[in-house]
Amino acid sequence: MSGVYARRIGVVVASAALAATSGLLTAPTAQAAMPTPVAASTARTYLSQLTVSAEGSSTGYSRDLFPHWITQSGACDTREVVLKRDGTNVTQNSSCTAVSGSWYSQYDGATWTAASDLDIDHMVPLAEAWRSGASSWTTAQRQSFANDLTRPQLIAVTDNVNQSKGDQDPATWLPSRTAYRCTYARAWVHVKHYYNLTVDSAEKSALQSALNGC
């Protein structure tokens, strides 16, 4: 594990050095991104409309109940579509696998040049959705949620950061990069509102605080 982190630190340091020499210390302006979430004012309205309820049980939950990554077109599945969308100068092979490019992780500010260092995060995690109402959905509905390219639900980020998030909601996890927390809260509320998912009281309070900082 230490070797993995050492490699990552090296990549991040090298990326920072490259950015410094080119005068680019923020996310690449030419980079594409996930669909823009609703404005903070709209997100506050949406949040007030969400049903507040104690989080449901995880009983019966399985990632397999949310089929992903499905084919989007040709040989391209949802993961590859997001990697292409969220990266810069991404090259794909005949199987639609990203073989080169650069990715800026909005959650932690790291830049990666290997697709294997990226996870595609579900903004509202699948298990969180299950506990918030998706347990009663059909498999088709869960598949749509897990592969939603229209709402701000999918984003390419540093893999171990995504793994540290797990299935936590904003009451216990927010991106370490504070400049992204407003966007994160807007996206979270946007997705929950669209899919008519519930929020628990601690989650709602955390979201209100994040949106107040927008």
PDB file of all heavy atoms in Angstrom, residues 34-38 85 121-124 148-155 183-184 186-188 190-191:
ATOM      1  N   MET A  34     -18.884  16.991 -15.415  1.00  0.00           N
ATOM      2  CA  MET A  34     -20.218  16.426 -15.281  1.00  0.00           C
ATOM      3  C   MET A  34     -21.247  17.526 -15.542  1.00  0.00           C
ATOM      4  O   MET A  34     -20.926  18.715 -15.471  1.00  0.00           O
ATOM      5  CB  MET A  34     -20.397  15.841 -13.877  1.00  0.00           C
ATOM      6  CG  MET A  34     -20.510  16.865 -12.766  1.00  0.00           C
ATOM      7  SD  MET A  34     -20.831  16.114 -11.156  1.00  0.00           S
ATOM      8  CE  MET A  34     -21.029  17.589 -10.147  1.00  0.00           C
ATOM      9  N   PRO A  35     -22.496  17.160 -15.819  1.00  0.00           N
ATOM     10  CA  PRO A  35     -23.533  18.172 -16.031  1.00  0.00           C
ATOM     11  C   PRO A  35     -23.590  19.150 -14.866  1.00  0.00           C
ATOM     12  O   PRO A  35     -23.457  18.763 -13.708  1.00  0.00           O
ATOM     13  CB  PRO A  35     -24.806  17.338 -16.127  1.00  0.00           C
ATOM     14  CG  PRO A  35     -24.340  16.023 -16.660  1.00  0.00           C
ATOM     15  CD  PRO A  35     -23.006  15.794 -16.010  1.00  0.00           C
ATOM     16  N   THR A  36     -23.749  20.419 -15.176  1.00  0.00           N
ATOM     17  CA  THR A  36     -23.774  21.451 -14.141  1.00  0.00           C
ATOM     18  C   THR A  36     -24.990  21.291 -13.237  1.00  0.00           C
ATOM     19  O   THR A  36     -26.119  21.215 -13.729  1.00  0.00           O
ATOM     20  CB  THR A  36     -23.809  22.855 -14.776  1.00  0.00           C
ATOM     21  OG1 THR A  36     -22.681  22.995 -15.636  1.00  0.00           O
ATOM     22  CG2 THR A  36     -23.794  23.936 -13.714  1.00  0.00           C
ATOM     23  N   PRO A  37     -24.774  21.226 -11.925  1.00  0.00           N
ATOM     24  CA  PRO A  37     -25.927  21.096 -11.020  1.00  0.00           C
ATOM     25  C   PRO A  37     -26.702  22.401 -10.937  1.00  0.00           C
ATOM     26  O   PRO A  37     -26.229  23.453 -11.366  1.00  0.00           O
ATOM     27  CB  PRO A  37     -25.281  20.749  -9.679  1.00  0.00           C
ATOM     28  CG  PRO A  37     -23.893  21.297  -9.762  1.00  0.00           C
ATOM     29  CD  PRO A  37     -23.491  21.170 -11.200  1.00  0.00           C
ATOM     30  N   VAL A  38     -27.889  22.335 -10.375  1.00  0.00           N
ATOM     31  CA  VAL A  38     -28.712  23.524 -10.206  1.00  0.00           C
ATOM     32  C   VAL A  38     -27.982  24.559  -9.361  1.00  0.00           C
ATOM     33  O   VAL A  38     -27.077  24.228  -8.584  1.00  0.00           O
ATOM     34  CB  VAL A  38     -30.071  23.185  -9.553  1.00  0.00           C
ATOM     35  CG1 VAL A  38     -30.902  22.306 -10.479  1.00  0.00           C
ATOM     36  CG2 VAL A  38     -29.876  22.522  -8.185  1.00  0.00           C
ATOM     37  N   ARG A  85     -15.271  12.224 -21.043  1.00  0.00           N
ATOM     38  CA  ARG A  85     -15.904  13.519 -20.764  1.00  0.00           C
ATOM     39  C   ARG A  85     -15.115  14.346 -19.759  1.00  0.00           C
ATOM     40  O   ARG A  85     -14.944  15.563 -19.929  1.00  0.00           O
ATOM     41  CB  ARG A  85     -17.322  13.270 -20.221  1.00  0.00           C
ATOM     42  CG  ARG A  85     -18.134  14.526 -19.933  1.00  0.00           C
ATOM     43  CD  ARG A  85     -19.309  14.216 -19.015  1.00  0.00           C
ATOM     44  NE  ARG A  85     -18.858  13.915 -17.648  1.00  0.00           N
ATOM     45  CZ  ARG A  85     -19.663  13.435 -16.692  1.00  0.00           C
ATOM     46  NH1 ARG A  85     -20.925  13.172 -16.959  1.00  0.00           N
ATOM     47  NH2 ARG A  85     -19.183  13.211 -15.474  1.00  0.00           N
ATOM     48  N   ASP A 121     -17.185   8.068  -9.487  1.00  0.00           N
ATOM     49  CA  ASP A 121     -17.981   8.156  -8.264  1.00  0.00           C
ATOM     50  C   ASP A 121     -19.445   8.400  -8.579  1.00  0.00           C
ATOM     51  O   ASP A 121     -19.782   9.200  -9.455  1.00  0.00           O
ATOM     52  CB  ASP A 121     -17.465   9.306  -7.391  1.00  0.00           C
ATOM     53  CG  ASP A 121     -18.269   9.468  -6.109  1.00  0.00           C
ATOM     54  OD1 ASP A 121     -18.583   8.433  -5.488  1.00  0.00           O
ATOM     55  OD2 ASP A 121     -18.593  10.608  -5.738  1.00  0.00           O
ATOM     56  N   HIS A 122     -20.305   7.691  -7.866  1.00  0.00           N
ATOM     57  CA  HIS A 122     -21.731   8.016  -7.860  1.00  0.00           C
ATOM     58  C   HIS A 122     -21.897   9.110  -6.810  1.00  0.00           C
ATOM     59  O   HIS A 122     -21.682   8.859  -5.618  1.00  0.00           O
ATOM     60  CB  HIS A 122     -22.577   6.795  -7.505  1.00  0.00           C
ATOM     61  CG  HIS A 122     -22.623   5.756  -8.586  1.00  0.00           C
ATOM     62  ND1 HIS A 122     -21.781   4.668  -8.599  1.00  0.00           N
ATOM     63  CD2 HIS A 122     -23.400   5.662  -9.698  1.00  0.00           C
ATOM     64  CE1 HIS A 122     -22.054   3.934  -9.678  1.00  0.00           C
ATOM     65  NE2 HIS A 122     -23.027   4.507 -10.352  1.00  0.00           N
ATOM     66  N   MET A 123     -22.234  10.302  -7.258  1.00  0.00           N
ATOM     67  CA  MET A 123     -22.379  11.432  -6.342  1.00  0.00           C
ATOM     68  C   MET A 123     -23.227  11.008  -5.139  1.00  0.00           C
ATOM     69  O   MET A 123     -22.811  11.128  -3.991  1.00  0.00           O
ATOM     70  CB  MET A 123     -23.034  12.611  -7.074  1.00  0.00           C
ATOM     71  CG  MET A 123     -23.285  13.830  -6.220  1.00  0.00           C
ATOM     72  SD  MET A 123     -21.790  14.631  -5.596  1.00  0.00           S
ATOM     73  CE  MET A 123     -20.999  15.135  -7.127  1.00  0.00           C
ATOM     74  N   VAL A 124     -24.433  10.523  -5.389  1.00  0.00           N
ATOM     75  CA  VAL A 124     -25.238   9.884  -4.337  1.00  0.00           C
ATOM     76  C   VAL A 124     -24.947   8.398  -4.452  1.00  0.00           C
ATOM     77  O   VAL A 124     -25.332   7.756  -5.434  1.00  0.00           O
ATOM     78  CB  VAL A 124     -26.740  10.164  -4.518  1.00  0.00           C
ATOM     79  CG1 VAL A 124     -27.553   9.388  -3.485  1.00  0.00           C
ATOM     80  CG2 VAL A 124     -27.031  11.663  -4.415  1.00  0.00           C
ATOM     81  N   ASP A 148     -26.510   7.361 -14.855  1.00  0.00           N
ATOM     82  CA  ASP A 148     -27.116   8.628 -15.266  1.00  0.00           C
ATOM     83  C   ASP A 148     -26.061   9.636 -15.731  1.00  0.00           C
ATOM     84  O   ASP A 148     -25.289  10.169 -14.934  1.00  0.00           O
ATOM     85  CB  ASP A 148     -27.916   9.214 -14.098  1.00  0.00           C
ATOM     86  CG  ASP A 148     -28.768  10.402 -14.503  1.00  0.00           C
ATOM     87  OD1 ASP A 148     -28.592  10.911 -15.621  1.00  0.00           O
ATOM     88  OD2 ASP A 148     -29.616  10.821 -13.685  1.00  0.00           O
ATOM     89  N   LEU A 149     -26.057   9.909 -17.020  1.00  0.00           N
ATOM     90  CA  LEU A 149     -25.129  10.878 -17.603  1.00  0.00           C
ATOM     91  C   LEU A 149     -25.782  12.245 -17.789  1.00  0.00           C
ATOM     92  O   LEU A 149     -25.111  13.200 -18.206  1.00  0.00           O
ATOM     93  CB  LEU A 149     -24.633  10.372 -18.963  1.00  0.00           C
ATOM     94  CG  LEU A 149     -23.784   9.094 -18.934  1.00  0.00           C
ATOM     95  CD1 LEU A 149     -23.615   8.539 -20.342  1.00  0.00           C
ATOM     96  CD2 LEU A 149     -22.425   9.370 -18.294  1.00  0.00           C
ATOM     97  N   THR A 150     -27.052  12.362 -17.473  1.00  0.00           N
ATOM     98  CA  THR A 150     -27.794  13.609 -17.672  1.00  0.00           C
ATOM     99  C   THR A 150     -27.784  14.489 -16.429  1.00  0.00           C
ATOM    100  O   THR A 150     -27.654  15.712 -16.517  1.00  0.00           O
ATOM    101  CB  THR A 150     -29.247  13.312 -18.075  1.00  0.00           C
ATOM    102  OG1 THR A 150     -29.243  12.481 -19.232  1.00  0.00           O
ATOM    103  CG2 THR A 150     -30.010  14.584 -18.381  1.00  0.00           C
ATOM    104  N   ARG A 151     -27.922  13.894 -15.256  1.00  0.00           N
ATOM    105  CA  ARG A 151     -27.835  14.611 -13.999  1.00  0.00           C
ATOM    106  C   ARG A 151     -26.378  14.606 -13.504  1.00  0.00           C
ATOM    107  O   ARG A 151     -25.563  13.818 -13.978  1.00  0.00           O
ATOM    108  CB  ARG A 151     -28.726  13.959 -12.935  1.00  0.00           C
ATOM    109  CG  ARG A 151     -30.101  14.579 -12.751  1.00  0.00           C
ATOM    110  CD  ARG A 151     -31.006  14.488 -13.933  1.00  0.00           C
ATOM    111  NE  ARG A 151     -31.166  13.115 -14.432  1.00  0.00           N
ATOM    112  CZ  ARG A 151     -31.929  12.798 -15.479  1.00  0.00           C
ATOM    113  NH1 ARG A 151     -32.566  13.735 -16.154  1.00  0.00           N
ATOM    114  NH2 ARG A 151     -32.033  11.543 -15.881  1.00  0.00           N
ATOM    115  N   PRO A 152     -26.042  15.483 -12.528  1.00  0.00           N
ATOM    116  CA  PRO A 152     -24.674  15.515 -11.978  1.00  0.00           C
ATOM    117  C   PRO A 152     -24.451  14.378 -10.981  1.00  0.00           C
ATOM    118  O   PRO A 152     -24.217  14.603  -9.790  1.00  0.00           O
ATOM    119  CB  PRO A 152     -24.602  16.895 -11.308  1.00  0.00           C
ATOM    120  CG  PRO A 152     -26.016  17.147 -10.872  1.00  0.00           C
ATOM    121  CD  PRO A 152     -26.881  16.573 -11.972  1.00  0.00           C
ATOM    122  N   GLN A 153     -24.521  13.146 -11.468  1.00  0.00           N
ATOM    123  CA  GLN A 153     -24.461  11.964 -10.613  1.00  0.00           C
ATOM    124  C   GLN A 153     -23.155  11.191 -10.756  1.00  0.00           C
ATOM    125  O   GLN A 153     -22.785  10.446  -9.857  1.00  0.00           O
ATOM    126  CB  GLN A 153     -25.674  11.067 -10.929  1.00  0.00           C
ATOM    127  CG  GLN A 153     -25.618   9.633 -10.434  1.00  0.00           C
ATOM    128  CD  GLN A 153     -25.639   9.498  -8.910  1.00  0.00           C
ATOM    129  OE1 GLN A 153     -25.420  10.453  -8.171  1.00  0.00           O
ATOM    130  NE2 GLN A 153     -25.893   8.293  -8.432  1.00  0.00           N
ATOM    131  N   LEU A 154     -22.434  11.379 -11.865  1.00  0.00           N
ATOM    132  CA  LEU A 154     -21.208  10.621 -12.113  1.00  0.00           C
ATOM    133  C   LEU A 154     -20.036  11.564 -12.346  1.00  0.00           C
ATOM    134  O   LEU A 154     -20.152  12.531 -13.104  1.00  0.00           O
ATOM    135  CB  LEU A 154     -21.383   9.702 -13.331  1.00  0.00           C
ATOM    136  CG  LEU A 154     -22.503   8.658 -13.236  1.00  0.00           C
ATOM    137  CD1 LEU A 154     -22.660   7.939 -14.575  1.00  0.00           C
ATOM    138  CD2 LEU A 154     -22.210   7.655 -12.125  1.00  0.00           C
ATOM    139  N   ILE A 155     -18.894  11.275 -11.710  1.00  0.00           N
ATOM    140  CA  ILE A 155     -17.720  12.123 -11.859  1.00  0.00           C
ATOM    141  C   ILE A 155     -16.459  11.292 -11.645  1.00  0.00           C
ATOM    142  O   ILE A 155     -16.413  10.424 -10.765  1.00  0.00           O
ATOM    143  CB  ILE A 155     -17.770  13.312 -10.872  1.00  0.00           C
ATOM    144  CG1 ILE A 155     -16.595  14.260 -11.093  1.00  0.00           C
ATOM    145  CG2 ILE A 155     -17.850  12.835  -9.419  1.00  0.00           C
ATOM    146  CD1 ILE A 155     -16.698  15.554 -10.293  1.00  0.00           C
ATOM    147  N   THR A 183     -20.366  23.038  -5.065  1.00  0.00           N
ATOM    148  CA  THR A 183     -20.805  22.275  -6.232  1.00  0.00           C
ATOM    149  C   THR A 183     -21.272  20.887  -5.816  1.00  0.00           C
ATOM    150  O   THR A 183     -22.283  20.377  -6.313  1.00  0.00           O
ATOM    151  CB  THR A 183     -19.661  22.154  -7.258  1.00  0.00           C
ATOM    152  OG1 THR A 183     -19.218  23.465  -7.615  1.00  0.00           O
ATOM    153  CG2 THR A 183     -20.103  21.405  -8.504  1.00  0.00           C
ATOM    154  N   TYR A 184     -20.530  20.280  -4.895  1.00  0.00           N
ATOM    155  CA  TYR A 184     -20.862  18.941  -4.412  1.00  0.00           C
ATOM    156  C   TYR A 184     -22.252  18.929  -3.773  1.00  0.00           C
ATOM    157  O   TYR A 184     -23.081  18.056  -4.074  1.00  0.00           O
ATOM    158  CB  TYR A 184     -19.801  18.502  -3.398  1.00  0.00           C
ATOM    159  CG  TYR A 184     -19.925  17.068  -2.937  1.00  0.00           C
ATOM    160  CD1 TYR A 184     -19.323  16.038  -3.650  1.00  0.00           C
ATOM    161  CD2 TYR A 184     -20.608  16.744  -1.764  1.00  0.00           C
ATOM    162  CE1 TYR A 184     -19.414  14.719  -3.230  1.00  0.00           C
ATOM    163  CE2 TYR A 184     -20.711  15.431  -1.335  1.00  0.00           C
ATOM    164  CZ  TYR A 184     -20.099  14.425  -2.075  1.00  0.00           C
ATOM    165  OH  TYR A 184     -20.203  13.118  -1.647  1.00  0.00           O
ATOM    166  N   ARG A 186     -24.703  21.115  -4.194  1.00  0.00           N
ATOM    167  CA  ARG A 186     -25.700  21.402  -5.227  1.00  0.00           C
ATOM    168  C   ARG A 186     -26.017  20.142  -6.034  1.00  0.00           C
ATOM    169  O   ARG A 186     -27.181  19.849  -6.316  1.00  0.00           O
ATOM    170  CB  ARG A 186     -25.193  22.505  -6.154  1.00  0.00           C
ATOM    171  CG  ARG A 186     -25.193  23.892  -5.519  1.00  0.00           C
ATOM    172  CD  ARG A 186     -24.257  24.849  -6.260  1.00  0.00           C
ATOM    173  NE  ARG A 186     -24.479  24.810  -7.701  1.00  0.00           N
ATOM    174  CZ  ARG A 186     -23.512  25.059  -8.607  1.00  0.00           C
ATOM    175  NH1 ARG A 186     -22.275  25.351  -8.210  1.00  0.00           N
ATOM    176  NH2 ARG A 186     -23.795  25.009  -9.901  1.00  0.00           N
ATOM    177  N   ALA A 187     -24.965  19.406  -6.396  1.00  0.00           N
ATOM    178  CA  ALA A 187     -25.152  18.186  -7.179  1.00  0.00           C
ATOM    179  C   ALA A 187     -25.904  17.134  -6.376  1.00  0.00           C
ATOM    180  O   ALA A 187     -26.812  16.470  -6.891  1.00  0.00           O
ATOM    181  CB  ALA A 187     -23.789  17.647  -7.626  1.00  0.00           C
ATOM    182  N   TRP A 188     -25.535  16.962  -5.117  1.00  0.00           N
ATOM    183  CA  TRP A 188     -26.183  15.967  -4.253  1.00  0.00           C
ATOM    184  C   TRP A 188     -27.681  16.228  -4.155  1.00  0.00           C
ATOM    185  O   TRP A 188     -28.510  15.321  -4.331  1.00  0.00           O
ATOM    186  CB  TRP A 188     -25.533  16.000  -2.870  1.00  0.00           C
ATOM    187  CG  TRP A 188     -26.047  14.972  -1.909  1.00  0.00           C
ATOM    188  CD1 TRP A 188     -27.228  14.995  -1.222  1.00  0.00           C
ATOM    189  CD2 TRP A 188     -25.404  13.740  -1.535  1.00  0.00           C
ATOM    190  NE1 TRP A 188     -27.362  13.878  -0.428  1.00  0.00           N
ATOM    191  CE2 TRP A 188     -26.249  13.086  -0.601  1.00  0.00           C
ATOM    192  CE3 TRP A 188     -24.183  13.146  -1.882  1.00  0.00           C
ATOM    193  CZ2 TRP A 188     -25.917  11.860  -0.023  1.00  0.00           C
ATOM    194  CZ3 TRP A 188     -23.854  11.925  -1.298  1.00  0.00           C
ATOM    195  CH2 TRP A 188     -24.706  11.288  -0.391  1.00  0.00           C
ATOM    196  N   HIS A 190     -29.513  18.111  -6.159  1.00  0.00           N
ATOM    197  CA  HIS A 190     -30.094  17.986  -7.502  1.00  0.00           C
ATOM    198  C   HIS A 190     -30.493  16.534  -7.774  1.00  0.00           C
ATOM    199  O   HIS A 190     -31.614  16.248  -8.198  1.00  0.00           O
ATOM    200  CB  HIS A 190     -29.048  18.463  -8.516  1.00  0.00           C
ATOM    201  CG  HIS A 190     -29.514  18.524  -9.933  1.00  0.00           C
ATOM    202  ND1 HIS A 190     -28.928  19.332 -10.882  1.00  0.00           N
ATOM    203  CD2 HIS A 190     -30.500  17.856 -10.597  1.00  0.00           C
ATOM    204  CE1 HIS A 190     -29.538  19.169 -12.055  1.00  0.00           C
ATOM    205  NE2 HIS A 190     -30.483  18.272 -11.908  1.00  0.00           N
ATOM    206  N   VAL A 191     -29.576  15.613  -7.501  1.00  0.00           N
ATOM    207  CA  VAL A 191     -29.829  14.193  -7.768  1.00  0.00           C
ATOM    208  C   VAL A 191     -30.920  13.650  -6.852  1.00  0.00           C
ATOM    209  O   VAL A 191     -31.854  12.974  -7.301  1.00  0.00           O
ATOM    210  CB  VAL A 191     -28.533  13.378  -7.619  1.00  0.00           C
ATOM    211  CG1 VAL A 191     -28.824  11.878  -7.695  1.00  0.00           C
ATOM    212  CG2 VAL A 191     -27.525  13.768  -8.705  1.00  0.00           C
TER     213      VAL A 191
END
